[in-house]
Amino acid sequence: QGVGARDLRECLLLQIRNSSLEGTLTEKIAQDYLDLVSLNKLGDVAKEAGASREEVEAAIRELARLEPRPGSKFDMTAPAYILPEVEVRKVDGRYKAFVEEANIPHLRISPHYARMLKSESASDETREYLQEKIRSGMNLIKSIEQRQDTIQKVSQKIVDAQQEFFDKGVMALKPLVMAEIAEQADVHETTVSRTVSNKYMRSPQGIHELKFFFTNGVPTDNGVDVSSKHVKALIKGMVDNEDPEKPLADQDIERKLADLGINIARRTIAKYRGALKIPASHIRRVQ
């Protein structure tokens, strides 16, 4: 934890006992009831601690002001910044992909060595050496150009397939697989996979990894597939707007999705919920 503490409880208590919070309800909660707090069972905390619900909530707000990872202040690791290689802009009413060139080195063959190659005073050995190095340099320049062309081609096909996303967001994301883009871009599927790996796109919807735009389809009653990310966004919206005292169980979410024409198994809902880091309903329930 950075202060010699063995766990979160001890870390918080060390800070409390070196502050004006020592001997308060905040210390008691940190000492005895962190597990109940993590389950959002504030009613049980109030009952066990012999305090009112309002007092418990105030004490938890004090806990929230403490630093759970004090050592992070001494972390000198430089933050990693994302530099998108592709920018999406609207041109004549349609979104287009533009590959960023600013971060790519502009290479050329030095005219000095080109002149040396043509010099009559250069020996055969020198000419052979220069020819080899110039040929190697030209191949590198060509490879970089091909890389940029492939990124441009693949990115534009992705943008073509996801035009509505750039206006409406994740709810408009369409199912898309790499094989489809490979066919449209006239490249191998493995080329698409390499091209989108660890590369990012900046658009009106923010910065996304190129892999973000590939998503499986979920069938609906009207015969039009929607993306799995669309379904996850629906689930998140339902949970965000649920009654905290009566949170939605997976079967409730299943029924609500069915009302929208989306029929998926409860185990799939549980998987999506897990991917969204949404706890089960009994943990989300506020006592």
Side-chain angles (χ1 to χ4, degrees):
Q1 302 291 345
V3 291
R6 291 166 291 187
D7 53 27
L8 175 62
R9 172 180 160 277
E10 192 170 319
C11 175
L12 297 176
L13 287 172
L14 283 170
Q15 296 174 68
I16 289 170
R17 289 166 184 171
N18 282 278
S19 73
S20 60
L21 294 174
E22 187 174 15
T24 66
L25 178 60
T26 300
E27 182 181 15
K28 186 173 182 61
I29 289 174
Q31 176 73 52
D32 300 322
Y33 305 120
L34 281 183
D35 289 344
L36 290 174
V37 171
S38 68
L39 296 173
N40 210 22
K41 294 185 176 181
L42 305 191
D44 289 352
V45 174
K47 183 178 178 181
E48 293 285 339
S52 69
R53 175 65 176 261
E54 291 72 20
E55 288 172 331
V56 168
E57 290 175 349
I60 290 174
R61 285 194 293 271
E62 293 292 344
L63 273 180
R65 293 190 181 97
L66 301 178
E67 175 54 69
R69 294 178 296 276
S72 62
K73 294 181 179 180
F74 304 96
D75 186 0
M76 296 300 156
T77 304
Y81 296 99
I82 291 173
L83 293 175
E85 294 205 39
V86 182
E87 183 171 1
V88 176
R89 301 195 294 269
K90 205 168 194 177
V91 179
D92 297 329
R94 190 166 180 82
Y95 288 101
K96 292 190 176 180
F98 296 86
V99 177
E100 296 282 3
E101 301 287 349
N103 299 315
I104 300 296
H106 293 278
L107 304 180
R108 61 185 179 84
I109 302 299
S110 170
H112 171 70
Y113 294 107
R115 287 193 297 270
M116 282 184 63
L117 183 63
K118 296 177 182 179
S119 173
E120 293 182 358
S121 61
S123 66
D124 291 342
E125 183 181 358
T126 299
R127 284 198 180 92
E128 184 178 347
Y129 176 82
L130 289 173
Q131 284 175 339
E132 178 187 349
K133 296 304 179 183
I134 289 173
R135 184 163 51 249
S136 177
M138 292 297 293
N139 287 337
L140 176 60
I141 291 171
K142 185 178 180 181
S143 295
I144 292 174
E145 290 174 348
Q146 288 177 338
R147 172 190 184 275
Q148 296 301 91
D149 289 344
T150 302
I151 293 174
Q152 166 65 41
K153 187 189 302 183
V154 170
S155 297
Q156 186 58 55
K157 294 304 180 183
I158 292 172
V159 171
D160 288 342
Q162 302 289 7
Q163 287 283 315
E164 288 188 34
F165 164 82
F166 300 108
D167 277 327
K168 302 176 183 177
V170 70
M171 297 296 283
L173 201 64
K174 295 181 178 177
L176 186 66
V177 294
M178 290 186 185
E180 184 179 342
I181 294 299
E183 182 178 355
Q184 294 175 7
D186 195 24
V187 296
H188 197 274
E189 188 174 343
T190 56
T191 301
V192 174
S193 179
R194 287 196 304 271
T195 300
V196 303
S197 179
N198 298 317
K199 295 183 183 66
Y200 292 81
M201 176 184 288
R202 180 193 292 113
S203 79
Q205 295 295 332
I207 295 176
H208 296 87
E209 192 173 4
L210 288 181
K211 287 182 179 179
F212 167 84
F213 296 96
F214 296 96
T215 175
N216 295 328
V218 177
T220 64
D221 289 347
N222 63 12
V224 178
D225 287 1
V226 296
S227 75
S228 57
K229 287 187 175 71
H230 174 101
V231 178
K232 288 177 184 177
L234 287 173
I235 293 172
K236 185 178 186 304
M238 292 175 187
V239 171
D240 287 346
N241 292 287
E242 69 186 3
D243 181 347
E245 294 185 359
K246 297 179 180 178
L248 298 170
D250 289 349
Q251 57 263 36
D252 300 320
I253 296 173
E254 180 184 24
R255 185 174 61 255
K256 284 178 173 288
L257 289 173
D259 291 341
L260 297 173
I262 302 172
N263 296 292
I264 58 176
R266 199 173 304 171
R267 63 179 178 274
T268 304
I269 292 172
K271 183 179 75 171
Y272 287 175
R273 181 171 51 70
L276 293 166
K277 294 182 170 56
I278 296 174
S281 57
H282 71 276
I283 296 177
R284 303 198 307 273
R285 181 178 295 110
V286 175
Q287 299 290 333

